[in-house]
Amino acid sequence: MDYLNRAIGAKLLLTAAMLAASVFAAPQARAEASCNTVSFFPGVVQVYASVNANAGASESKFCTTSFACPKSSRKVEVFGAGLASSPESVVAVDNSALLSTGDEISANCQTATVSSGRKGTVSTCNASAQSTPTQGSSDTSQCSLFIDTPAGTRAGASATCFCGT
């Protein structure tokens, strides 16, 4: 379990570095917002995007992807990370699975600021949900990311979703 915690911590650090590069350094990040997905292996996927709001209007982006879970998965978890030039930016993440009984389990959260300075705000969150044995299991899940940023600001965020037993 300690290995898993270290791997997740390293992944979040790498995500923050990628977000910083894409939001604040790379010129192409200032282009139209786009969604990107990285599938690591069954049960783990990352959705990430950046948004650049013009001076006249706020901008938002919603990204989602379906992904395969290990057989008979009963648990979903999501980590959210955001980097924004404004503390008013909103990042929300969700990981939902439809169970074999028709019930749905969903883990979701809105990021909270963990660090703020004159050049940007870093925010994170984590949530998990688990079904009971009588609710059944799922072989797929859906990972979603929402970013909203005020006029004249930039933001980048990621949702890293897990499903398993």
Side-chain angles (χ1 to χ4, degrees):
M1 193 61 161
D2 186 46
Y3 172 78
L4 181 61
N5 288 337
R6 287 183 187 181
I8 291 169
K11 180 65 182 158
L12 289 175
L13 183 60
L14 180 61
T15 299
M18 288 182 351
L19 288 172
S22 68
V23 173
F24 295 110
Q28 66 271 22
R30 291 166 182 50
E32 185 177 330
S34 64
C35 298
N36 299 287
T37 302
V38 177
S39 295
F40 295 100
F41 46 85
V44 182
V45 70
Q46 183 178 48
V47 177
Y48 62 98
S50 61
V51 175
N52 182 31
N54 294 325
S58 63
E59 182 76 30
S60 62
K61 186 69 179 174
F62 179 75
C63 305
T64 189
T65 190
S66 293
F67 65 104
C69 297
K71 187 175 179 177
S72 301
S73 293
R74 294 182 39 239
K75 182 177 181 178
V76 293
E77 188 168 8
V78 63
F79 290 94
L83 179 61
S85 61
S86 168
E88 286 85 33
S89 294
V90 174
V91 174
V93 296
D94 179 75
N95 185 2
S96 299
L98 184 62
L99 302 170
S100 55
T101 58
D103 291 332
E104 182 179 348
I105 56 171
S106 182
N108 54 64
C109 58
Q110 181 175 324
T111 62
T113 300
V114 292
S115 177
S116 189
R118 61 183 187 99
K119 291 194 176 188
T121 300
V122 176
S123 60
T124 62
C125 70
N126 174 242
S128 64
Q130 184 167 346
S131 67
T132 64
T134 59
Q135 287 179 301
S137 61
S138 180
D139 294 335
T140 61
S141 193
Q142 185 168 350
C143 187
S144 303
L145 167 67
F146 175 77
I147 307 170
D148 184 60
T149 192
T153 63
R154 298 184 303 266
S158 71
T160 304
C161 296
F162 303 86
C163 56
T165 54

